[in-house]
Amino acid sequence: MTRVVSVGNAVVDILLELPALPRSGDDVTATGSSAAVGGSATTLVAARRQGAASAYAGGHGTGPFGELVRAAFEAEGVAVLSAPTLGRDTGWDVAMVEPGGERTFLTTVGAEADGDPSGLLLGAGDLLHVSGYALAREPSGSRIAAWIGSVPTEVIVLVDPGPLGSRVPAGVLEPVAARADWWSASAAESHHAPAGVRLLVRSGEAGCTVDGTQVPGFAVDALDTNGAGDVHAGVFLACLGEGLDPVVAARRANAAAAIAVTRRGPGTAPTRAELDAFLETHTR
């Protein structure tokens, strides 16, 4: 079975729906709030809901947020391959969501930064997800960089640099870029893509490009864009694992992200049945 494995960061998102972002010294009352597990967990859940096996090989802690992360993985059937860091909790963030769905994060780092993949064994049928958040944190970034060259050639490696990609030290980024098969990024993040890697550039409602080929997106009324890129990456990887053409995989990923942004929170990836039904009514 196809297995999507992530060495990214699973964290807890505390979501606040705001009428507008606060100014310095301001006090804004949220119109809604919730808590959910996000980060690379969103990618793994998205892949799992498409039928792929999923496994988390990043860091996690022993406090209440760590328990929340593991409970979320258990509920979705995502395996946890790493032991928790004793005496340190998983990190969390405040995700401020504006009326148009745009989100802004305030983050505190925890045990997810202690990720160590050195004992992780990958092989045929595995696809590896590498998050820029894990690369930008220490010691996880240096540990991933030291290990990734040993990943077997038959394993597809997708790097999602995220908003912190430009802050990853060259000594960490270069070995990861050298092993990457795919670079999955927003249009703004794609400018830092290394030469020679296959490029998947996300453009929101406009869809994405795959190696320069435009794959149209789907117009929807967005409620919350939190986790849309993570959903896109997870579905794209699951589809590649099935042997689908990258353009076909990207179209399914576009549709999954479109569904996700019509729902509140990061854990909003559609099931395979929901995705198929959506595509049946959106034939382009």
Side-chain angles (χ1 to χ4, degrees), residues 38 60-61 70 77 84 86 93 130-131 236 242 244 250 258 263-264 267 276 282:
H60 51 112
R70 287 185 291 276
L86 299 178
D93 63 73
V130 182
S131 165
F236 182 73
E242 290 184 31
L244 297 183
R263 302 168 174 177
R264 298 286 187 189
D276 288 342
H282 296 74

Side-chain angles (χ1 to χ4, degrees), residues 78-103:
V78 176
V80 177
L81 304 181
S82 53
T85 299
L86 299 178
R88 189 181 189 191
D89 202 358
T90 289
W92 53 279
D93 63 73
V94 176
M96 298 180 290
V97 184
E98 298 173 75
E102 186 58 77
R103 80 288 184 275

Side-chain angles (χ1 to χ4, degrees), residues 59-275:
H60 51 112
T62 52
F65 287 135
E67 293 292 341
L68 212 69
V69 167
R70 287 185 291 276
F73 281 143
E74 183 177 4
E76 294 285 347
V78 176
V80 177
L81 304 181
S82 53
T85 299
L86 299 178
R88 189 181 189 191
D89 202 358
T90 289
W92 53 279
D93 63 73
V94 176
M96 298 180 290
V97 184
E98 298 173 75
E102 186 58 77
R103 80 288 184 275
T104 302
F105 289 113
L106 303 174
T107 302
T108 180
V109 179
E112 70 281 0
D114 295 325
D116 183 0
S118 58
L120 176 61
L121 298 177
L122 301 172
D126 287 336
L127 302 98
L128 179 66
H129 168 258
V130 182
S131 165
Y133 283 96
L135 298 178
R137 311 299 189 201
E138 286 296 338
S140 61
S142 295
R143 289 170 174 173
I144 293 169
W147 163 80
I148 199 164
S150 67
V151 173
T153 57
E154 64 265 27
V155 174
I156 294 173
V157 178
L158 180 144
V159 178
D160 187 343
L164 299 187
S166 61
R167 306 180 206 174
V168 177
V172 171
L173 189 62
E174 288 171 2
V176 173
R179 180 57 188 84
D181 298 297
W182 286 94
W183 204 262
S184 174
S186 69
E189 298 157 0
S190 66
H191 300 298
H192 306 289
V197 71
R198 302 190 71 177
L199 195 53
L200 176 67
V201 182
R202 306 184 303 271
S203 301
E205 185 179 296
C208 67
T209 59
V210 180
D211 295 334
T213 298
Q214 179 66 34
V215 183
F218 302 88
V220 295
D221 293 325
L223 293 177
D224 184 357
T225 60
N226 183 23
D230 298 320
V231 168
H232 196 280
V235 172
F236 182 73
L237 283 170
C239 291
L240 289 185
E242 290 184 31
L244 297 183
D245 179 86
V247 170
V248 177
R251 183 172 185 271
R252 290 185 66 85
N254 287 349
I259 295 170
V261 301
T262 64
R263 302 168 174 177
R264 298 286 187 189
T268 53
T271 64
R272 189 184 189 102
E274 289 173 330
L275 181 52

